[in-house]
Amino acid sequence: MNLVIDIGNTLVKYAVFDNGTLIYDESSESGLFLSKVKGLFGKFPEINRSLISSVGRLEGKERDILALFCKVHVLSNTSKVPFKNSYATPQTLGVDRLALATAAFYQNPRGNTLVVDAGTCITYDMVNNSGEYIGGAISPGVQMRYRAMHQQTAGLPLLQPEDILDFVGNSTQACMHSGVINGVAQEVDGVIGQYRSRFQDLTVILTGGDAHFFAKRLKNTIFANPKFLLEGLNYLLEYNKS
């Protein structure tokens, strides 16, 4: 069994894979890392390999804790990847984007694939039908847009994301929700349209914590897969076995 751990900007995600199949996943705050790891190895003693992916600062103690239980691979820009990486600055490419590109490569190996990850930031990652990662884009995420409106104005409140009934808001809060939720949906649709105009038979994967706000709003045909990043991390763990 494999354990992959994704240390994000907000939460830590844990996923257990058995012969390539996701059999368990959960999330927690970072302060619960030790108790969560102990619980997972108590529940799944067959785990013998693990991978840690961190988009922020990785504490050495987290790696050391995990190493008490099994072999650990810390994902970095020096890890082996199965695709050709044509990013101009590979040393700056986030490990989360490496994992998304890996999942795209394995799940659509002979096709053009665009992965849209609606998380803290919205990332767009493109793997072409030659198995080449060529880059994409990074945009502010949903929560970031709400915080920016609150922090950079004198009178706008800090709101939590809400689904909208109409793109025409009839109150300040409704206008803010429309600006964020409808605005992001229009952005994503527009970006997908740009990629479709350049890449034939494009497959689009939508993932990330805020994907549910947009899956039904997008005009473009997409495949929603909230576990796509975790699957990519497990592929990389297998690919980097020593």
Side-chain angles (χ1 to χ4, degrees), residues 111-133:
N112 290 312
T113 308
L114 174 67
V115 184
V116 182
D117 184 6
T120 302
C121 287
I122 301 169
T123 59
Y124 303 84
D125 291 290
M126 180 70 203
V127 178
N128 66 22
N129 56 11
S130 298
E132 178 185 16
Y133 175 77

Side-chain angles (χ1 to χ4, degrees), residues 16-74:
V16 178
F17 287 82
D18 186 10
N19 291 322
T21 300
L22 177 64
I23 61 173
Y24 182 85
D25 70 284
E26 65 172 318
S27 301
S28 78
E29 296 178 354
S30 58
L32 299 174
F33 186 86
L34 176 57
S35 63
K36 289 296 182 183
V37 167
K38 284 183 176 179
L40 284 169
F41 279 91
K43 186 177 294 186
F44 303 103
E46 301 91 346
I47 295 171
N48 56 16
R49 290 183 184 271
S50 63
L51 177 145
I52 296 180
S53 167
S54 176
V55 298
R57 185 165 59 101
L58 176 64
E59 297 290 348
K61 65 180 181 181
E62 294 165 333
R63 180 190 61 239
D64 294 343
I65 287 169
L66 201 53
L68 295 173
F69 296 92
C70 67
K71 292 183 178 180
V72 182
H73 180 83
V74 178

Side-chain angles (χ1 to χ4, degrees), residues 14-225:
Y14 311 83
V16 178
F17 287 82
D18 186 10
N19 291 322
T21 300
L22 177 64
I23 61 173
Y24 182 85
D25 70 284
E26 65 172 318
S27 301
S28 78
E29 296 178 354
S30 58
L32 299 174
F33 186 86
L34 176 57
S35 63
K36 289 296 182 183
V37 167
K38 284 183 176 179
L40 284 169
F41 279 91
K43 186 177 294 186
F44 303 103
E46 301 91 346
I47 295 171
N48 56 16
R49 290 183 184 271
S50 63
L51 177 145
I52 296 180
S53 167
S54 176
V55 298
R57 185 165 59 101
L58 176 64
E59 297 290 348
K61 65 180 181 181
E62 294 165 333
R63 180 190 61 239
D64 294 343
I65 287 169
L66 201 53
L68 295 173
F69 296 92
C70 67
K71 292 183 178 180
V72 182
H73 180 83
V74 178
L75 187 61
S76 71
N77 53 45
T78 63
S79 299
K80 295 187 296 183
V81 295
F83 52 84
K84 179 183 177 182
N85 191 349
S86 294
Y87 207 58
T89 56
Q91 70 278 5
T92 69
L93 183 61
V95 290
D96 53 337
R97 300 178 72 190
L98 281 178
L100 294 170
T102 299
F105 174 83
Y106 276 112
Q107 297 196 20
N108 191 24
R110 297 180 183 84
N112 290 312
T113 308
L114 174 67
V115 184
V116 182
D117 184 6
T120 302
C121 287
I122 301 169
T123 59
Y124 303 84
D125 291 290
M126 180 70 203
V127 178
N128 66 22
N129 56 11
S130 298
E132 178 185 16
Y133 175 77
I134 60 173
I138 304 173
S139 177
V142 169
Q143 294 279 5
M144 197 179 294
R145 298 181 195 217
Y146 280 113
R147 285 197 302 271
M149 285 193 287
H150 172 64
Q151 293 171 357
Q152 298 186 34
T153 65
L156 293 179
L158 178 61
L159 302 180
Q160 292 301 310
E162 287 184 11
D163 210 349
I164 59 174
L165 300 176
D166 192 349
F167 67 88
V168 181
N170 63 356
S171 69
T172 297
Q173 291 196 8
C175 288
M176 292 174 67
H177 287 309
S178 177
V180 174
I181 302 302
N182 184 60
V184 171
Q186 295 298 316
E187 173 197 308
V188 174
D189 254 331
V191 171
I192 292 173
Q194 287 181 313
Y195 278 82
R196 287 200 190 282
S197 68
R198 181 175 298 185
F199 301 97
Q200 294 183 342
D201 301 320
L202 182 70
T203 296
V204 181
I205 307 292
L206 178 66
T207 191
D210 290 326
H212 62 286
F213 281 109
F214 312 112
K216 62 181 180 294
R217 295 187 171 277
L218 299 178
K219 297 171 185 171
N220 282 282
T221 301
I222 59 168
F223 296 95
N225 183 348

